[in-house]
Amino acid sequence: MTSTIDPQIAESLSFPDTKSFVGINKPNRIEADIHNLQVDGRIPPQVSGVLYRCGPDPAFPPLLGDDIYINGDGMVSMYVLSEGRASMRSRYVRTDKFQAERAAGRALFGAYRNPWTDSPSVAGMDRTTANTSMIWHANKLFAIKEDGLAHQLDPLTLQTIGKHNFGGRLLSKTMTAHPKIDPVTGEWVFFGYSAGGELSDDISVAVADSKGRLTDEQWFIPPYQSAIHDWAVTQQHNILPVMPLTTDRNRVMEGGPRWAWDPGKTTHLGVVARNRPIDEMVYFEGPSLFSFHTMNSWTEGNLVHIDLCVSDRAPFPDLNGKMFTPDEVAFKLTRWTCDLDRPGSDFVQRPLLDGLTVDMPEIDQRFATQKYRHGFMAARDPLYPVNPEIAVGVWFNTLVHIDHLTGESERWYIGDDSNVQEPVFIPRSDEAPEGDGFLVALVNRLPRAHTELVIIDTAHFSDGPVATVHIPMNVRPTFHGLWVSSEELGRVPTLGEPVF
């Protein structure tokens, strides 16, 4: 018996041989439970809880033949660490997009943030993939991507519960993948750009209290429409960065890219006091710069400080389609300072770490929104060899700790043929001094298609892991995650029975 397959569908059964789909970026697409993972060394007894990770993992080859890495379906993984043992679970977030494509057996959605490239069968459908970050608030777990609402997940089974709009009270159709949890008040502080829908100019800024109840939502129009991936929140202020990664409606509707770099525009930092009318926002200006991620921020008298990873331009083509050079998109840890006594003035820049390209910053979250001392991040150290199969897209070969008080830093090189993902900090105890604890991160070991979860004692940072958990598959590089302790979960976690 013979059968024929439509050529278009046949082509869609194979992933393209392009940088978004080869090497460490090869799609995994595995939903699995793995109990009692091999552990080298000893998992410290203080490490009891779950590391959650979220990243893009396309369930189907791209509709248009190729795609960018960040457009994959949301895959959430959890790593249960308790009583010296380790287990893992991974599940796709059941977004509207994922479920429609699974039912069809092929991709239906086109280019990143461009609904005009989708199959007509999914016109008007929610396109978010919920593939960027995880949030734990009011005893609930969420996966988020900035082009849609957060999706609530069961913290133990990872089953998708559904979209979260605070019981219908949130008007914005989008939420940043980088909301901030205030460790002092317990508030969930967040914004959403294109709040009115794809390509709208408006931005929503909102707050939910420690119980998860929405208490405020205000909207405003920025100086121009731009991609705002991360932002900054202090105990006193919210800071919205408007940077020259811009959009053009006509370009998008004609099938072009959602974002293009516009070097003719300047950078604006909108600063407004928390819990004050949004129309009191004042702007500070600077040269055309770009940042994906903020390390921390705080208010000191009339000065607002933001520590973030800054490059000369965004890693996207410019308005004329010209690509960037590696040096132009080398992110450097930098401090921006706004003087509230001089609204409308330029913000001041100061480099904090020389010689390394860095990103994926992390801190002791007990000190978020406040003056702090210790920061951690992933880095690219050019002194070590790089496997070209790894050096595609988002990759790092070193973990770094910086002491902002002394200015000193220390490093741990992860080894050849390897990529380290975003580090997450775990305090040694609730009473431990800032930065005293453990740093956990996933490491891709490419030749073996193998992943390791490393645990580093920050008291002996450069010595490397005190424990290594071996995961017998390649976990496609994720973006962001978080640690939720057994105490926060209300139980010593276990995987329990598999649920699909």
Side-chain angles (χ1 to χ4, degrees), residues 32-34 37 77-79 86-90 471 473 475 495:
D33 292 352
I34 310 176
L37 293 162
S77 54
M78 60 185 290
Y79 305 87
S87 297
M88 172 196 174
R89 169 169 285 158
S90 60
I471 303 163
M473 65 181 188
V475 178
L495 286 188

Side-chain angles (χ1 to χ4, degrees), residues 350-380:
R350 180 165 74 87
L352 298 176
L353 184 66
D354 293 326
L356 291 176
T357 296
V358 301
D359 208 350
M360 304 299 182
E362 167 70 325
I363 63 168
D364 184 334
Q365 295 296 330
R366 297 174 299 168
F367 292 81
T369 73
Q370 306 159 81
K371 190 171 185 179
Y372 73 117
R373 176 173 177 175
H374 298 282
F376 307 93
M377 67 212 91
R380 298 177 184 175

Side-chain angles (χ1 to χ4, degrees), residues 144-178:
I144 312 177
K145 183 184 176 188
E146 63 202 52
D147 62 352
L149 295 173
H151 282 62
Q152 186 181 348
L153 308 177
D154 184 285
L156 296 181
T157 68
L158 295 185
Q159 284 185 296
T160 303
I161 296 172
K163 300 176 195 177
H164 185 68
N165 62 3
F166 300 90
R169 296 192 63 196
L170 183 69
L171 300 181
S172 175
K173 296 180 180 179
T174 64
M175 178 188 291
T176 174
H178 289 281

Side-chain angles (χ1 to χ4, degrees), residues 2 17 40 54 120 169 188 203 250 268 373 375 405 436 500:
T2 61
D17 187 21
D40 293 343
C54 185
R169 296 192 63 196
W188 178 356
I203 296 176
N250 291 333
H268 300 259
R373 176 173 177 175
L405 181 62
D436 179 26
F500 286 91

Side-chain angles (χ1 to χ4, degrees), residues 3-158:
S3 63
T4 59
I5 300 177
D6 184 282
Q8 288 186 324
I9 296 178
E11 184 178 355
S12 74
L13 297 178
S14 299
F15 285 95
D17 187 21
T18 58
K19 67 179 183 179
S20 294
F21 300 97
V22 299
I24 59 172
N25 294 334
K26 184 177 181 180
N28 188 349
R29 304 190 295 163
I30 296 175
E31 295 186 293
D33 292 352
I34 310 176
H35 294 257
N36 296 312
L37 293 162
Q38 176 188 335
V39 179
D40 293 343
R42 177 173 175 266
I43 298 176
Q46 302 96 326
V47 177
S48 178
V50 180
L51 172 67
Y52 294 99
R53 302 293 301 163
C54 185
D57 199 339
F60 295 97
L63 179 67
L64 303 181
D66 197 6
D67 206 350
I68 58 175
Y69 178 80
I70 60 178
N71 205 28
D73 294 286
M75 177 71 85
V76 173
S77 54
M78 60 185 290
Y79 305 87
V80 178
L81 306 175
S82 63
E83 300 176 341
R85 296 178 179 271
S87 297
M88 172 196 174
R89 169 169 285 158
S90 60
R91 296 289 188 275
Y92 275 114
V93 183
R94 265 55 180 180
T95 61
D96 292 352
K97 173 188 180 295
F98 176 87
Q99 296 190 98
E101 292 185 330
R102 172 158 283 191
R106 64 186 183 93
L108 300 171
F109 294 79
Y112 176 73
R113 303 294 296 272
N114 191 333
W116 286 273
T117 62
D118 295 345
S119 164
S121 65
V122 294
M125 187 176 290
D126 187 351
R127 305 177 86 251
T128 190
T129 55
N131 73 4
T132 307
S133 67
M134 308 293 294
I135 292 296
W136 176 260
H137 187 256
N139 299 317
K140 293 186 173 94
L141 180 70
F142 303 92
I144 312 177
K145 183 184 176 188
E146 63 202 52
D147 62 352
L149 295 173
H151 282 62
Q152 186 181 348
L153 308 177
D154 184 285
L156 296 181
T157 68
L158 295 185

